[in-house]
Amino acid sequence: MTQTYTPHRPLRVAVIGSGPSGIFATEALLKQTDLPAQVDVYDRLPTPYGLVRYGVAPDHLTIKSVTRGFEKTLGDPRVRFLGNVEFGKDLTHEDALAHYDAVLYTVGASSDRRLGIPGEDLTGSMSATEFVAWYNGHPDAAAREMVLSASGVAVVGVGNVALDVSRILVKTAQELHESDIAAHALTALDASHVQDVWVLGRRGPAQAAFTTKELREFGELHAAEPVVKPQEIALTESEEAAITDNTKKKNVEVLRDFAAREAEGKSRRVHLRFLVSPVEILDDGQGRVGGLKVERNRLDENGNAVGTGEFEVLPVQMVLRSVGYRGVALPGVPFDEKRGVIANDEGRVAGRVGEYTAGWIKRGPSGVVGTNRKDATDTVAHLLTDAKDGRLPGAAHPTRDAVDALLAGKGVKVYSFHDWQVLDAHEIAEGQAQGRPRAKVVHREVMLGHRKA
């Protein structure tokens, strides 16, 4: 029998993941007027907002202003935030299908791609993702000891994340004090020995993925200056004519400006290198990074990087790879291993009825925070079409009380949106007392201690 959705029996949707895609999807469900809907937004962490809290650079606070809209969505009476609930463990795939008419997976891409070169597992070699999580106070990384004894660091990749970690490494504690960087990271970075950071791109400046605003910041730092080799950014007339993207044109202009600058003699340097590929991370003899061997490249007629057989060794003791994110499979959900995404057709999970996906776990890691709004809205449109056409299977236990009883029976300490508001207010107050925008609580148990009375 086709389910009719009413205010008394609304369309019940579970959104797994409370980052931008999950909240944009929730917003789309609230804005439509065809069907009464009720949404439960889950996250395995007590805190909402995903990469906006734990991925966006702490010194880029304006990007985080998007959370004002997110607060309005999660504060809507038709929505509940259920934090500290892990999908696959606290809420199984079977549980979700039994309690919701539709399940929407928006878990992002939490893993990273590897370089696939010798020495990648030496101490001091890690993903930029891990480093970002550490300085942003992610509970999974907060306890990690990050000894910044390295004087040289290589950052492999030329996207915005690569620029973010490089900028954080060379900023002074005074510059970082104005950000919401985690306190343990601020202390460690203040004692850092880093003097040189090499940002490495295997192709040329016209192929780099970073944006101009982020690049330009390297010319405005207190204690660090950019270093660019003119020969690595040289373009032929035909190569220059082939650049049609305005951002890439501006990037080349900024890099030329950097290359033409006289050295200022600042204590730290960011070397923006192009046409080089890492081929081996060298062992210092004690299982730690002792250098990075790179090969110089040239571009072939198709724009691909081709090794020239010329090598050099960079004097680094830390290597951060930033060559792309990758999705992680969810228990019971079809996964495309090759692409690192949930197998889907325009957001409908492959071979499933009533299951959907949006964001990076749907399409791969591309775009910025705002890109996910249309992506999520497109998926929700398919969900609503299926609901109106009677194609959803219908939940056996479609009530909030049933979900609460299920989680209570498993001993899950659900963290509500009101609990998060208590923690949020605490972090802001603590930050203001220190002259900072926020003082993040970074340990899960401490987070769980801040709850609405």
Side-chain angles (χ1 to χ4, degrees), residues 389-424:
D389 291 350
R391 287 200 289 265
L392 299 184
H397 311 291
T399 66
R400 287 177 169 178
D401 288 346
V403 170
D404 292 344
L406 170 79
L407 295 173
K410 294 186 180 188
V412 180
K413 297 178 183 176
V414 176
Y415 203 73
S416 72
F417 184 61
H418 292 303
D419 293 334
W420 154 246
Q421 287 177 312
V422 171
L423 176 61
D424 184 40

Side-chain angles (χ1 to χ4, degrees), residues 33-217:
T33 55
D34 294 340
L35 298 173
Q38 231 179 39
V39 187
D40 283 351
V41 180
Y42 288 89
D43 204 291
R44 71 180 185 86
L45 296 177
T47 50
Y49 310 146
L51 275 185
V52 173
R53 180 173 169 93
Y54 295 118
V56 170
D59 55 345
H60 284 176
L61 294 171
T62 53
I63 298 174
K64 301 189 182 196
S65 62
V66 70
T67 57
R68 292 194 200 104
F70 291 175
E71 287 168 6
K72 186 178 177 185
T73 299
L74 289 183
D76 190 288
R78 294 167 290 175
V79 177
R80 295 197 305 175
F81 172 68
L82 291 87
N84 198 43
V85 181
E86 186 172 347
F87 181 83
K89 181 180 136 199
D90 303 321
L91 181 80
T92 67
H93 181 252
E94 293 75 20
D95 292 336
L97 297 184
H99 290 79
Y100 297 95
D101 303 305
V103 183
L104 179 51
Y105 307 108
T106 61
V107 294
S110 57
S111 184
D112 64 278
R113 299 186 186 280
R114 288 175 64 84
L115 298 173
I117 61 173
E120 195 164 4
D121 294 315
L122 289 169
T123 300
S125 168
M126 70 186 78
S127 72
T129 313
E130 294 173 82
F131 191 63
V132 169
W134 171 77
Y135 65 59
N136 270 328
H138 193 294
D140 293 350
R144 181 174 187 148
E145 279 295 318
M146 196 73 69
V147 182
L148 297 173
S149 56
S151 61
V153 180
V155 180
V156 184
V158 282
N160 279 344
V161 174
L163 296 194
D164 285 345
V165 298
S166 302
R167 190 180 64 254
I168 295 298
L169 279 165
V170 298
K171 272 196 165 185
T172 62
Q174 182 185 355
E175 287 171 291
L176 290 172
H177 188 79
E178 298 166 4
S179 74
D180 70 355
I181 195 167
H184 63 258
L186 185 59
T187 301
L189 288 161
D190 189 25
S192 163
H193 292 85
V194 173
Q195 292 178 312
D196 289 275
V197 176
W198 282 267
V199 184
L200 309 176
R202 62 189 175 87
R203 296 194 293 165
Q207 289 80 35
F210 48 66
T211 48
T212 311
K213 179 178 176 291
E214 279 64 30
L215 177 62
R216 204 172 267 134
E217 286 181 70

